[in-house]
Structures are given as C-alpha cells and as structure tokens.
Amino acid sequence: MKKRIVKLADVAKAAKVSQGTASNVFNRPELVRPEVRERVEASARRLAYAGPDPKGRLLRGGKVNAIGIVMADDTAYFFRDPFARMLLSGIAEVCDERGAGVALVSTNRQKDAAWRIQTAVVDGFIVHCLRVGDRLISLARKRHLPVVAIDLDGGNGMSSVVIDDRHGAYLAARHLLDLGHRKIGLLSLEAADPPRPGFVDAERLRSAEYRTERERAAGYSAALAEHGIELDQLPIMESLNERQAGASHARELLAARPETTAIIAMSDVLALAAIDAARARGLRVPQDLSVVGFDDIPDAATADPPLTTIAQPIVEKGRIAARLIFEAGPPRTETLGVKLVERASTARPR
Amino acid sequence: MKKRIVKLADVAKAAKVSQGTASNVFNRPELVRPEVRERVEASARRLAYAGPDPKGRLLRGGKVNAIGIVMADDTAYFFRDPFARMLLSGIAEVCDERGAGVALVSTNRQKDAAWRIQTAVVDGFIVHCLRVGDRLISLARKRHLPVVAIDLDGGNGMSSVVIDDRHGAYLAARHLLDLGHRKIGLLSLEAADPPRPGFVDAERLRSAEYRTERERAAGYSAALAEHGIELDQLPIMESLNERQAGASHARELLAARPETTAIIAMSDVLALAAIDAARARGLRVPQDLSVVGFDDIPDAATADPPLTTIAQPIVEKGRIAARLIFEAGPPRTETLGVKLVERASTARPR
DNA sequence: GCGCATCGTTGAAACGTTTCAAAATTGTCA
DNA sequence: TGACAATTTTGAAACGTTTCAACGATGCGC
C-alpha cells in the first residue's frame, strides 16, 4: 500500500546499468553512449521517474544555488514596501546573472524566526533591518554561511553595505535650516526593539540599537549645532514605516506642535505620510509646511508635490550586497554616498 | 589542509553519546536528560558546530517547507510589476500562516529555466503566466509535486485559479459602447510565444496560446456584437506589459488611427501607458480619449485621472493558489469574479 | 527484594544522490 | 594481430541527518 518513490537506483536497475551511469545520463549525458543513454531514458519514462531529486543531490554536492533574504517583517512586506522592493530588485538582478535563486525568509513570528533561519536551504544570507537585533544575525552566522548585512554594522567577520547616513541626515537638516526653518519636527523610524511609537526623546535616537538612527541623530545634531540648536529641542515622533501609521503619527505631531514649519522624515514613506497629515489639517505643502524625506523611492518624484529628499542608491545597495555574498572575499563594509534632491515639498517658511 | 566540517557525529562522539541522542538535543531537547543535554551542547559549542545541516535533514525528512513561485520573467519582475506584487502578497500571507517559505524561480533565460525548475528545493509550485507555454509547466509537474497554475488552464490533474476573463472583457467593452464609443482601439497583452509587439489581427487573440487572451477576445466580441461590430474591425496593438513599452505602442496606435475615441487596455499598466501616450499627443483623458483598464491595481485609483477599470481580486487569487498547494486535495479550478469600477478615465465621446 | 511501568539512550538503517578511481570496452596504428 | 590510447562503465564510498525498535536504567508499589 505504501507508494514507494522511484529513485535513480530503480531506473538504473531497470535499464541494467550502474547507478553511476544512470546519474550521468541526467547530468552529463555527453559522457554516456547514445545507445545506453536512450535505454536509461526509456526506463525512466516507463517508471515515471521524477528526475534526480534535488534533496539527494544537495546532500552530496553542496551548493544549493540560492540565497536567503532575511527581513524583519512578514513576507508580504517584501512586496509592499517600496524600499524593500528596490533593494530586492538589485539583489535579484545579480542573482539572475549568477543563476542563483532567491528565497524569502520572513521573521515576523519571533517564535519560528530562529527555526526559519536555521533550516533555510540557502548558500548565504542577506539580512536587512532586523528589529530583533543581533540574535537572528548571530543565528545566521552560526551556520558558517556568508552573511551580508544591509544598513547594519558589519564588522566581526561580517560584510555589510551601508550608506553615509550621517551625511544624509546632515544634508536634510541643513537644507531646512538654510531655508530659514527653526520649528522643525522629526518623524523617525523605529529606533530599537521593542518599537515605541509616539513621542520619544533624542537620547533614544543617539543610543539607538540600529546604526541608521544613531548615525542620523549625529547628522541632524551637527547641522542643528551650526545654528545653535540641540536635537533635544525638536519634537521627535517615532513611527512604524507604513503610510497609514506614519500619517496618524504625523497628525499627532502637528497637533501637539502647531507652530511646526517643517518636518524631517526618516523615509520617503513617512514623508508622504506627513504630507497626507498636513493636508488633513488643511496645511499646504510647502507653503505652510516643508517636508523632506529620505531614500528617493520612485513615488517621491511623482508625488504631489514632488518630494525633496535625500537620495540613496537603493538598487545599487542590493546589487553590492549580492555580489559580496558571491564573491566571498574577506569581510568588508561598503559605504555608499547620498545626495540631496531638491523638489517641491520644501520652501522658505512664511 | 582540507577543512573538514564538523558534523553531528563529531559532536556526539565528543560528548560520548550516540548520534541519536545528539540529534535529539537539537530537535527534541525535552527528551534528553538536562545533564546530558548540557554536555552535548558544550561539545557543540567547543567544536563550533553549525547546527544540524538542513541538507541532511531534508534528505531524511522530506518536507522543505517552502513553495516555489514560477514566473515568466527575470526575478526583479516579481518586485517591479504591481500585479505580480499583489499576487505575491496574497501567496506570502498564506505561506506565513503555514510557516512556509517562498522561493522565487525566474525563468528569464530559457536555457537554465528548465534546470531551475528541476532543481528548485521546494514542496510545490505556483506558476503564473508562463510565456513558454506548457513546457516548463510539464517539467514542474514531472517532479510529482503539487502545482497550481494562475490564469492558465488547469485540468489534466492540475489545479488552477482564474478569473472570469470573458465577463470582464465584456464589461469593459460594453461600458465604452454604452457611453457611445464606436472607434475603439485595443491594447493587448502578449498573446502567444513568441510575442509579436505591434498591430496584430483578431485571430491571434481568438486562438491565443493563453487562456486570458482567448477568453477576453470572446468577451469583447460578445459586447461588440450587440452593436453589430466585429472584433476584426478594431485596431489591435500587442505590447509587452511595461509602462514604457506600452506607452510607445499606444502612441503608435493613436498615430495610425487618429479617429480613435477610446482604448481598451488589457491591464492597468497598459492603460496608464495609454494615458501617457494620449497626453504626449495633447489629448485629454477622458474628454478626447476614454481609457478603460483591467486589474485595478492600487495605482489605478490614484492615477490622474483615476482609472476606470475591471477589478479582479488579485491578492485573493494569490491566497487561493497558495491554499490549493497546501490543501493538496483533488485538482480543481477556482474561478473568481470581476466587476467594473467606474472612475474618471472614461466619458462620452465628443 | 521483585515485578512493572517509565524514562533515556543506543545502534543501525534509511534518505537519494554524485563522484572517482579502477576496470572494462572500444578504437587506432604499425 | 598486438600494443597502446581513448572512451565508457562500474562499484562503492561519501554526503549529514532523523527515526525507531530495542535495550538499560531508574523509580514505584507491595
């Protein structure tokens, strides 16, 4: 009653050849005499052989030919978030070139996150923005596979790709200050685990768990200092990086600080959310409120108004991360540049 | 000089327990006495054991706990195309619920497409929109894994999820006809492999390789027939489903047939492209040209002008496809409904 | 102290392939 | 025809794990 699966050995026996030869028929057909090859193929057909099972091959051979992408959210986030999508496009591009596959490893449910990482059938990991901090990363590294981190501190034997967050933050703040803004609100990404949506103090940013927030805090501070302002004087609102959530937090910020003339958002998604919020309060952008974003996702350019933002090479970041996996040289950290893109969401305060 | 990898057997030996016990320490720790467990864990640490290698487990155990998504394009397409993204969101949602992973299988390069499918380490496949027709599908099916097709004919032992394309097409055409349009152009998706971008005749649609185009041809014809028009009388332009390409084809269509007052696009991406093209010719939508789309992607609602389109439940389609994989019942075909969503891209002709 | 259930541990057998040195076969040339 | 080279085929050894029947301890009630 048990339906046994036909395996290579069965095919070999049926065709009266050794298993080695049968294997060659499927993998290096040119090595086997046409006559024999056909006999084996005929047997395979007759037995409805499914072809060499990758599981077996894998164990013997080693390479899976796929890399795993680990993110902090549910799998659908990979397709929902514009930043994630661009990153993945870059990664995918390089994987295609190399003929490697891509496996999505979500870590939404803390419980099986560890299990997912430990059992993912991949040759390497690219990790991005792991809320849970080092724990999952160290799990990944324990597997003795190449691991590349994006936007996280590398070091300690791990490669990473980051951008010059500090300079980006400096440019964003400087831009608003140069325009004459002094009442500036900060719409921040989550700075640590657990996230703490709502007003937070500057210290949370300065000592954030994530490099990105720490560096940016330094950048903002540097720009503000040039005008004798402390980061601590700004209202800082932490928010989940989703448009809905961001809009509601931005509304809260504007309600609590109606004197605000400009908002620095740590991502374009949050910046667009801030524009939504402004509009909901009847404020015009940029006349009544200036908004500067970060990332330069495609929507930034076509938004209404087009978003002034700090552009970072997201796709390229993905490409580089993937190359670092494949090249498997000594660990190193690649830092990419950013630049200010002035569009129409910022102007002098009235 | 060869750096041998530490394996479970090494750890077991070092801890002076059987391999079976060592295995239990990692997989069912509650079965082994705390004292022994710690001894084993200590050995593992000392030897820098990477943990049970999934490859070994896989061979023994069976389930990979991941499904493969096969699409006709390069991997980046999964993240670029709005339709693909929504589909994937739905699939990902269900996979997350079940604790399964998602592997992206691209088939851009014909050459390794077959290899990719044969060696993908997955428990099942969801295939969407395979240009190359049945060949890759039959490869997937040969692996004796569950396969679910999206927007393709099922049958022959394979499950599939489709929408009522014929009715959707009917609704789109009917809507324009009801508004009074008679000079209608059709912007079509690729109807067969190889694609043939440019003007094509109605027969190519009616006898298309893909179900979608065949069914829609029938739907358009039905609506047109009610006004005594034949599908063959419409200019039909086939295009790649990308905004740039679509826009250039739409421009060509409008240039060749300046009398056109309305365009039926087979996807929202193409519809938006048509609007781009109209604008480039100085035509206002909907005053000078009506455009109706298909799919109702998120951009459709926020486009300028908001797009009249045939809405289909894309995310739900993904969910259902994934469930069909997991439930593994007898093969069946699920047909989902569509409806007309009237927005501002269509109006009476002048 | 003895039988009995319970709990831990062992040892060996799969799981399905690829690889590789060695053996067998075929071909070539004088 | 025989020596030698080139081409095919073989057989067995990995690959690293999990599972499971069977075996030993250990604790319990009497």
Side-chain angles (χ1 to χ4, degrees):
Chain A
M1 199 49 223
K2 49 159 61 177
K3 74 191 240 190
R4 240 179 55 68
I5 283 174
V6 275
K7 55 180 103 171
L8 189 56
D10 302 325
V11 174
K13 199 178 301 174
K16 297 196 191 308
V17 295
S18 80
Q19 187 165 332
T21 299
S23 174
N24 282 337
V25 168
F26 292 99
N27 298 299
R28 297 128 97 192
E30 71 283 4
L31 285 192
V32 28
R33 207 144 39 95
E35 181 191 323
V36 178
R37 191 195 314 159
E38 267 170 37
R39 210 167 72 229
V40 174
E41 277 164 351
S43 299
R45 263 194 305 279
R46 187 152 36 80
L47 299 178
Y49 178 52
D53 186 333
K55 293 177 199 149
R57 179 207 314 281
L58 221 49
L59 179 51
R60 172 64 227 222
K63 298 283 274 180
V64 181
N65 223 26
I67 70 180
I69 323 283
V70 183
M71 286 202 162
D73 280 271
D74 55 315
T75 309
Y77 186 81
F78 288 95
F79 304 101
R80 191 191 324 132
D81 183 69
F83 183 91
R85 277 161 36 205
M86 296 181 74
L87 204 54
L88 269 287
S89 290
I91 296 174
E93 203 180 283
V94 174
C95 286
D96 276 354
E97 274 170 22
R98 315 262 177 156
V102 172
L104 272 23
V105 182
S106 78
T107 58
N108 54 331
R109 278 187 292 172
Q110 284 276 15
K111 224 186 88 220
D112 23 63
W115 176 255
R116 288 266 182 79
I117 291 187
Q118 288 170 325
T119 63
V121 197
V122 297
D123 299 319
F125 285 108
I126 294 180
V127 295
H128 178 245
C129 183
L130 277 191
R131 274 209 203 93
V132 284
D134 301 319
R135 202 174 120 259
L136 293 182
I137 295 197
S138 69
L139 279 174
R141 305 201 43 207
K142 199 171 283 170
R143 287 192 54 186
H144 301 324
L145 296 175
V147 176
V148 173
I150 294 184
D151 286 337
L152 294 170
D153 287 316
N156 192 14
M158 178 171 61
S159 288
S160 70
V161 185
V162 300
I163 56 169
D164 191 344
D165 276 296
R166 184 181 303 217
H167 186 57
Y170 174 84
L171 289 175
R174 167 87 186 274
H175 172 64
L176 292 177
L177 290 163
D178 283 354
L179 285 171
H181 293 276
R182 291 300 177 269
K183 297 299 183 184
I184 300 176
L186 187 50
L187 198 51
S188 171
L189 295 168
E190 299 173 345
D193 188 62
R196 203 191 300 159
F199 281 109
V200 297
D201 58 21
E203 188 51 28
R204 178 163 164 93
L205 250 51
R206 277 193 292 263
S207 61
E209 188 179 346
Y210 312 128
R211 199 199 95 99
T212 300
E213 283 73 20
R214 282 200 311 273
E215 289 289 310
R216 292 197 190 172
Y220 298 136
S221 294
L224 291 166
E226 293 175 0
H227 293 262
I229 308 178
E230 297 267 329
L231 184 58
D232 303 77
Q233 298 170 241
L234 307 196
I236 304 180
M237 174 64 75
E238 177 170 325
S239 169
L240 177 69
N241 189 34
E242 305 254 8
R243 185 128 172 197
Q244 290 279 337
S248 113
H249 285 121
R251 257 198 313 275
E252 193 182 339
L253 172 60
L254 292 172
R257 300 297 195 97
E259 73 277 17
T260 303
T261 66
I263 286 188
I264 300 179
M266 278 213 199
S267 75
D268 284 349
V269 169
L270 289 181
L272 296 174
I275 294 178
D276 292 344
R279 198 151 289 159
R281 279 183 69 84
L283 299 175
R284 288 163 307 161
V285 177
Q287 294 90 333
D288 304 320
L289 184 77
S290 285
V291 176
V292 57
F294 206 113
D295 292 343
D296 198 21
I297 59 176
D299 278 354
T302 61
D304 174 30
L307 200 58
T308 293
T309 191
I310 307 298
Q312 62 162 312
I314 313 180
V315 176
E316 183 62 13
K317 216 161 156 182
R319 287 196 201 104
I320 292 181
R323 288 200 201 104
L324 282 174
I325 287 278
F326 291 114
E327 283 161 16
R332 78 193 133 110
T333 293
E334 294 266 359
T335 305
L336 277 45
V338 298
K339 62 171 196 276
L340 173 69
V341 177
E342 290 188 54
R343 296 207 184 91
S345 67
T346 51
R348 315 191 76 82
R350 291 199 302 173
Chain B
M1 199 48 225
K2 50 159 59 178
K3 74 188 240 190
R4 240 180 54 69
I5 282 175
V6 220
K7 56 179 104 170
L8 190 55
D10 302 324
V11 174
K13 199 177 300 172
K16 298 198 192 307
V17 294
S18 78
Q19 187 166 332
T21 299
S23 174
N24 281 338
V25 168
F26 292 99
N27 297 298
R28 298 128 98 193
E30 71 283 2
L31 286 191
V32 30
R33 207 147 37 96
E35 184 191 320
V36 179
R37 191 195 312 160
E38 267 170 39
R39 210 166 71 228
V40 174
E41 277 163 353
S43 299
R45 263 195 304 279
R46 187 153 36 79
L47 299 179
Y49 177 53
D53 185 335
K55 293 177 201 151
R57 182 207 311 280
L58 219 51
L59 179 52
R60 172 65 225 223
K63 297 282 274 180
V64 180
N65 224 27
I67 69 179
I69 322 283
V70 184
M71 285 200 165
D73 280 271
D74 56 316
T75 308
Y77 186 82
F78 287 95
F79 303 101
R80 191 190 324 133
D81 182 69
F83 182 92
R85 277 162 36 205
M86 296 181 75
L87 204 54
L88 269 286
S89 290
I91 296 174
E93 203 179 283
V94 173
C95 287
D96 276 354
E97 275 170 22
R98 315 264 177 155
V102 172
L104 272 23
V105 182
S106 77
T107 57
N108 53 331
R109 278 187 293 172
Q110 284 277 15
K111 224 186 90 222
D112 24 63
W115 177 256
R116 287 268 182 78
I117 290 187
Q118 288 170 326
T119 64
V121 196
V122 296
D123 298 321
F125 286 108
I126 293 180
V127 295
H128 178 244
C129 186
L130 278 191
R131 275 210 202 92
V132 285
D134 302 318
R135 199 172 124 260
L136 293 182
I137 295 196
S138 69
L139 279 174
R141 304 203 43 207
K142 198 171 284 170
R143 287 193 53 187
H144 301 325
L145 296 175
V147 175
V148 173
I150 293 182
D151 287 336
L152 293 170
D153 287 317
N156 193 14
M158 178 171 61
S159 287
S160 71
V161 186
V162 299
I163 55 168
D164 191 344
D165 277 295
R166 185 183 302 220
H167 186 57
Y170 173 84
L171 289 175
R174 167 87 184 273
H175 172 65
L176 292 178
L177 291 163
D178 283 354
L179 285 171
H181 292 278
R182 292 298 178 271
K183 296 299 182 185
I184 302 177
L186 186 51
L187 197 50
S188 171
L189 295 168
E190 299 173 344
D193 189 61
R196 202 190 300 159
F199 281 109
V200 297
D201 58 21
E203 189 50 28
R204 179 162 163 94
L205 250 51
R206 276 192 293 261
S207 61
E209 188 179 346
Y210 311 129
R211 198 198 96 100
T212 300
E213 283 73 19
R214 282 199 312 272
E215 289 290 310
R216 293 197 190 172
Y220 298 135
S221 293
L224 291 165
E226 294 175 0
H227 293 261
I229 307 178
E230 297 268 329
L231 184 57
D232 305 73
Q233 297 171 241
L234 306 196
I236 304 178
M237 173 66 74
E238 177 170 324
S239 170
L240 178 68
N241 188 36
E242 305 256 8
R243 186 128 171 196
Q244 290 280 337
S248 111
H249 285 121
R251 257 197 314 276
E252 193 182 338
L253 172 58
L254 291 172
R257 300 294 196 100
E259 73 277 18
T260 303
T261 65
I263 285 188
I264 299 178
M266 279 213 200
S267 76
D268 284 351
V269 169
L270 288 182
L272 296 174
I275 294 179
D276 293 344
R279 199 151 289 159
R281 280 183 69 85
L283 299 175
R284 290 163 306 162
V285 177
Q287 296 88 335
D288 305 319
L289 184 76
S290 285
V291 176
V292 57
F294 206 113
D295 291 344
D296 198 21
I297 59 175
D299 278 354
T302 61
D304 173 31
L307 199 58
T308 294
T309 191
I310 305 299
Q312 62 162 312
I314 312 180
V315 177
E316 183 62 13
K317 215 158 152 184
R319 287 196 200 102
I320 292 181
R323 287 198 201 107
L324 282 174
I325 288 278
F326 290 115
E327 285 162 13
R332 78 193 134 109
T333 294
E334 294 266 359
T335 305
L336 276 47
V338 297
K339 63 173 195 275
L340 173 69
V341 177
E342 289 188 54
R343 297 207 183 92
S345 67
T346 50
R348 316 193 76 82
R350 290 197 302 174

